[in-house]
Amino acid sequence: MDQWLPDIVAVMVSVSVEGPYSYRVPPGMQVVRGSIVAVPLVGRLTLGVVWGVPKDNTAHNRLKDIEQVYDTPPLSDELLRTVDWVSRYTLAPPGLVLRSVLRSSEALEPERQVMAYRKTGHEPERMTPARYRVLDTVADGLAWAKSAIVGASGVSASVVEGLERAGALERLEIPAPPIALKPDPEAAVPTLSAEQATALSQIRELDVRKFGVALLDGVTGGGKTEVFFEAVADTLRAGRQALIILPEIALTHTFIDRFARRFGTRPAEWHSDMTPSQRSRTWRGITNGEIRAVVGARSALFLPFHELGLIVLDEEHDGAFKQNDGVNYHARDMAVVRAKFAEARVILSSATPSVESRNNANAGRYKHVLLTSRFADAGMPDITALDMREEPPEKGTWIAPRLAREVFATLDRGEQALLFLNRRGYAPLTLCRACGHQYQCPDCSAWLVEHRFRGVLMCHHCGHEQKRPKICSACGVEDSLIPIGPGIERIAEEVAVRFPDARTVILSSDMGSNSQLRDRFSEIEKGEYDLVIGTQLVAKGHHFEKLTLVGVLDADLGLAHGDPRAAEKTFQILTQVTGRAGRAAKAGRAFLQTYHPDHPVMQAMVKQDREAFYAHELEVREAGGLPPYGRLAALIVSANEHDDAMGFARTLLSAAPQANGLRLFGPADAPVAMVRGRHRVRLLAQSPKDFDLSGYVRFWLNSAERVKGNLRVQVDIDPMSFY
Ligand code: ADP
Ligand code: ZN
């Protein structure tokens, strides 16, 4: 695709526009498809990418010139095609999608040199102990970065500068050290178990230079990471770049360490915790080809690889892979799209694959690679459903007597227990005993959740916070507020009374910064706590050797949602959290507190029958025409006034074109009918699988009345949340 283009080119600017604009290539400038340029756009310079030849060549003499081409490799054709595809599929403007690729112009400037010093051989007249230390450090005659001298000799920068003035050191500029070293595929090749070796050989049946997808479907603790690391090694050996995408990278320090043990060096990282300079250097390293392996969050999908050979999605079922603002894309599906354009392999790894991926594997579109037992003879945990109708907790408590006894016994043996409740805070609802007033967010249709440690009532939708009042704001009675229902802080209170000697830690996303949370996780790994109380944050990926008991306090919590994926999500979270038990030498046990022990999800859990769950769930989906057998698209109309939102949604509905097999539902007030003061009304479109639902919705919106005033329509193709 590197053909030279004529003197007028189509440039996609990285702002929210519907398509590329034409620009003139000034004499002497050369661009190709993918060249990154700066172009004038309404009076200012904007980053853009040469997309190709303009569709129409009119208005020749009114065109503006491209201002500058950056001296950086043109973006690869497969990346441009991915941007186009994502835009077409999600209905996000292509310029907006391109912004996920071109984040800053800083990454396009040449790498900044760092200041370094080298000894001249001249000995200054006045010597001090500090000066001796510096000269000792640089005695090898090499150029040392200033910061490295300071670090190695323990002196202040002024000593170094003083030695320069005295003529003992000369200053020079050297290239900055690489942000990541090259991973070595031969550094520490593991010995795989027989089952792992079979899994790897199945993956190896996919050509390392061609498109292909494998679903690595293996029980928790099955050693999936070891298997896909070998596929990463194959990719590196073939001279191609590898990308591993994780759902919650900021908390997975152990993953980076495992990578480093396997490949002899840490991978490049890509996530929101990085400084702008780290981002720029990483971006540049990837486009230059110096960086061969990246571990990142979903946004890493848009990095400027040129030799992408493998994308691994770990925990591929995870909801965090769906982005719900700006561009509403699903990283799993878009990874497959990019890999197709790049002729790369994809490995989707999970102990609880999405029903979509299972269906693709069943249909033979993905290679189905199974790991059915845990590594090193660790058994699967034994799972029991605790029928809350027969063995209820005592009034005012949440832990059933049998589970409490199990916790005791576990602590007694010196092992760890985990109590899981997927609800942050102290209580999900606060009401006044005197007048019945229920505390609600002023801007959302949601109850305020009490966070007792911080003494506030908080909205989990918009973050609104207020101090927990002493006096009921409705009736004025003092000390009348009572909490209804438990969050994990309330469980911690019960635990403190029941197990006063246990070293307890409570973990949820609002319990500290990422680095504080990482510290808690390593303390748990080291066995510094006996009892862990946590939300879904602790359910995923962690390997706690001493943990042998998991108690799920409300296994039914997720089933209540009016969400077609409620059963699937519940099965996934329950499998993940119970999968934390007994991952090492000692056997694990798990208890599910439930009011519905006969529910297919609970039955599949207790019988450890994943296949039964997937078979049942696929049947339900097929009968309802739901994904993966049908397609869904949600339109969320919002406005400051309810009548405006509802009125516009009705207009939209009446403008909807007829189409064979297409069904429309709504408009109806969304389950959370107001968020941040905006009223929300939902429409849902359902179509057969082979229907171009994105194209239909685009045509529909284009033929409908334009959105005016404070009205907004958000399109969500393949919605994952239904609030
Ligand atoms: P999964 O991701 O499937 O839940 P992991 O990849 O985390 O499982 O593996 C579980 C544990 O077994 C980890 O501690 C891992 O280091 C260990 N393990 C797995 N495979 C091997 C192997 N081939 N050699 C040594 N240790 C392994
Ligand atoms: Zn709110």
Side-chain angles (χ1 to χ4, degrees):
M1 272 283 175
D2 272 11
Q3 84 277 24
W4 297 110
L5 293 172
D7 59 348
I8 298 176
V9 292
V11 174
M12 190 76 79
V13 285
S14 59
V15 295
S16 186
V17 296
E18 284 302 335
Y21 295 146
S22 295
Y23 284 90
R24 253 166 36 111
V25 184
M29 181 186 281
Q30 283 180 332
V31 295
V32 296
R33 172 163 157 87
S35 293
I36 303 174
V37 295
V39 293
L41 184 77
V42 286
R44 45 186 293 207
L45 281 185
T46 306
L47 278 183
V49 172
V50 175
W51 223 248
V53 191
K55 289 223 171 69
D56 51 68
N57 258 346
T58 51
H60 202 274
N61 50 3
R62 301 185 52 199
L63 291 179
K64 296 212 166 66
D65 280 359
I66 293 176
E67 174 81 17
Q68 180 192 354
V69 203
Y70 287 93
D71 183 18
T72 176
L75 297 179
S76 61
D77 185 59
E78 49 91 6
L79 180 51
L80 303 193
R81 291 169 73 189
T82 304
V83 169
D84 274 333
W85 204 99
V86 171
S87 157
R88 223 176 12 254
Y89 192 78
T90 63
L91 271 68
L96 192 62
V97 182
L98 185 63
R99 260 160 86 157
S100 314
V101 178
L102 299 179
R103 283 154 169 276
S104 73
S105 55
E106 196 191 324
L108 305 169
E109 306 293 347
E111 176 94 46
R112 248 183 268 138
Q113 307 265 66
V114 298
M115 201 189 290
Y117 292 90
R118 186 163 56 196
K119 70 166 186 187
T120 57
H122 171 78
E123 177 112 349
E125 281 160 29
R126 192 178 61 85
M127 284 299 288
T128 63
R131 286 187 163 190
Y132 275 120
R133 283 212 295 279
V134 170
L135 292 181
D136 267 357
T137 302
V138 300
D140 59 9
L142 300 177
W144 280 68
K146 187 181 195 174
S147 54
I149 299 178
V150 169
S153 58
V155 302
S156 73
S158 61
V159 179
V160 179
E161 286 150 17
L163 281 168
E164 182 195 356
R165 278 194 301 274
L169 292 179
E170 62 174 338
R171 180 159 30 139
L172 61 165
E173 308 238 286
I174 57 169
I179 190 148
L181 299 174
K182 285 203 168 40
D184 175 6
E186 320 307 335
V189 181
T191 312
L192 296 181
S193 71
E195 202 183 20
Q196 285 175 323
T198 310
L200 178 60
S201 65
Q202 284 176 290
I203 291 172
R204 282 183 171 155
E205 286 165 16
L206 298 175
D207 189 330
V208 73
R209 311 220 142 260
K210 294 224 167 69
F211 169 67
V213 185
L215 175 62
L216 180 55
D217 181 0
V219 295
T220 54
K224 296 182 287 296
T225 313
E226 262 72 17
V227 173
F228 68 64
F229 273 176
E230 292 322 291
V232 169
D234 288 344
T235 305
L236 298 173
R237 288 183 191 112
R240 305 189 85 189
Q241 293 165 300
L243 168 63
I244 302 174
I245 307 183
L246 306 179
E248 227 111 4
I249 173 140
L251 298 176
T252 37
H253 63 297
T254 45
F255 188 90
I256 302 288
D257 294 343
R258 272 174 89 172
F259 185 99
R261 280 200 295 278
R262 169 62 187 83
F263 295 102
T265 183
R266 293 164 64 86
E269 295 178 38
W270 189 260
H271 50 78
S272 55
D273 260 6
M274 298 162 71
T275 65
S277 143
Q278 286 172 326
R279 281 172 170 275
S280 298
R281 298 183 60 200
T282 304
W283 200 95
R284 205 180 297 127
I286 290 167
T287 197
N288 290 341
E290 281 152 21
I291 291 177
R292 307 311 297 175
V294 178
V295 174
R298 60 170 187 245
S299 59
L301 204 54
F302 294 102
L303 285 170
F305 295 99
H306 291 272
E307 299 166 299
L308 187 60
L310 174 69
I311 307 176
V312 176
L313 260 98
D314 197 16
E315 312 291 0
E316 70 95 35
H317 63 278
D318 200 294
F321 286 129
K322 177 73 191 272
Q323 173 155 304
N324 284 323
D325 53 72
V327 186
N328 290 338
Y329 68 93
H330 198 302
R332 179 192 61 226
D333 301 338
M334 298 312 124
V336 173
V337 168
R338 183 161 187 193
K340 194 164 201 163
F341 292 136
E343 289 288 356
R345 297 186 298 171
V346 179
I347 297 176
L348 306 177
S349 174
S350 175
T352 51
S354 60
V355 168
E356 278 86 351
S357 294
R358 274 294 299 234
N359 186 52
N360 281 324
N362 292 349
R365 283 184 290 272
Y366 298 171
K367 188 178 271 289
H368 199 173
V369 180
L370 285 160
L371 287 175
T372 57
S373 56
R374 285 189 160 177
F375 180 74
D377 299 330
M380 295 307 290
D382 181 55
I383 299 175
T384 308
L386 249 170
D387 190 338
M388 296 289 266
R389 295 164 308 184
E390 308 213 327
E391 303 180 64
E394 278 169 44
K395 205 170 169 344
T397 70
W398 317 99
I399 305 173
R402 181 140 61 115
L403 178 56
R405 285 197 299 275
E406 292 288 340
V407 174
F408 258 121
T410 305
L411 301 182
D412 222 34
R413 289 192 299 270
E415 296 163 12
Q416 285 175 324
L418 163 66
L419 293 175
F420 172 78
L421 177 64
N422 208 8
R423 202 189 266 140
R424 295 184 282 140
Y426 184 82
L429 171 64
T430 300
L431 65 76
C432 170
R433 192 168 30 204
C435 73
H437 178 69
Q438 306 183 333
Y439 281 79
Q440 204 183 334
C441 175
D443 300 321
C444 305
S445 35
W447 306 125
L448 291 176
V449 178
E450 180 180 356
H451 286 245
R452 190 161 284 191
F453 291 173
R454 289 172 40 232
V456 297
L457 301 179
M458 179 181 171
C459 171
H460 283 184
H461 282 281
C462 70
H464 164 88
E465 261 185 36
Q466 60 194 61
K467 265 183 80 98
R468 185 178 191 275
K470 289 281 298 168
I471 307 171
C472 172
S473 49
C475 70
V477 173
E478 210 169 312
D479 286 329
S480 63
L481 301 191
I482 47 169
I484 305 293
I488 53 167
E489 293 180 9
R490 199 168 190 181
I491 302 301
E493 204 174 74
E494 182 179 341
V495 160
V497 175
R498 281 180 186 267
F499 314 104
D501 299 331
R503 294 167 301 168
T504 303
V505 63
I506 163 167
L507 273 175
S508 63
S509 55
D510 52 349
M511 287 289 171
S513 66
N514 283 342
S515 80
Q516 287 168 324
L517 293 173
R518 279 196 292 265
D519 289 346
R520 295 296 90 72
F521 284 124
S522 21
E523 289 156 11
I524 301 173
E525 272 158 35
K526 287 187 219 135
E528 291 174 19
Y529 297 104
D530 310 308
L531 194 44
V532 183
I533 304 163
T535 61
Q536 55 163 349
L537 196 72
V538 293
K540 303 171 185 175
H542 302 284
H543 190 75
F544 304 132
E545 294 212 343
K546 288 182 66 186
L547 188 85
T548 55
L549 177 72
V550 172
V552 178
L553 298 179
D554 186 352
D556 309 330
L557 191 59
L559 290 174
H561 296 300
D563 173 342
R565 291 188 178 82
E568 177 185 355
K569 288 177 183 169
T570 302
F571 175 73
Q572 286 162 341
I573 190 85
L574 293 180
T575 306
Q576 294 292 340
V577 70
T578 56
R580 294 316 105 203
R583 290 167 62 96
K586 296 206 173 96
R589 311 191 64 185
F591 290 84
L592 310 176
Q593 298 194 158
T594 174
Y595 287 93
H596 308 284
D598 297 325
H599 191 285
V601 169
M602 303 308 155
Q603 286 294 313
M605 289 302 302
V606 170
K607 296 185 184 138
Q608 312 249 4
D609 194 346
R610 305 166 359 109
E611 296 311 313
F613 169 75
Y614 284 108
H616 177 262
E617 189 61 20
L618 281 166
E619 241 171 65
V620 172
R621 301 281 181 93
E622 187 162 23
L626 292 166
Y629 296 98
R631 293 179 185 279
L632 295 177
L635 269 60
I636 299 131
V637 182
S638 62
N640 294 344
E641 300 297 329
H642 176 264
D643 288 354
D644 290 345
M646 186 53 92
F648 190 76
R650 292 214 177 96
T651 321
L652 263 184
L653 183 69
S654 58
Q658 295 286 323
N660 212 357
L662 183 102
R663 296 171 69 196
L664 295 171
F665 301 91
D669 288 348
V672 184
M674 188 163 87
V675 172
R676 294 190 161 85
R678 292 180 64 82
H679 295 267
R680 308 167 74 244
V681 170
R682 293 180 68 104
L683 286 158
L684 190 70
Q686 183 182 24
S687 81
K689 178 152 183 63
D690 52 10
F691 184 89
D692 175 11
L693 192 53
S694 301
Y696 172 85
V697 173
R698 175 177 291 110
F699 181 71
W700 175 12
L701 292 179
N702 285 342
S703 51
E705 200 181 304
R706 293 253 143 225
V707 198
K708 293 192 294 277
N710 61 53
L711 270 167
R712 245 186 95 200
V713 180
Q714 275 170 279
V715 178
D716 190 359
I717 306 286
D718 305 334
M720 296 300 284
S721 61
F722 291 81
Y723 72 88

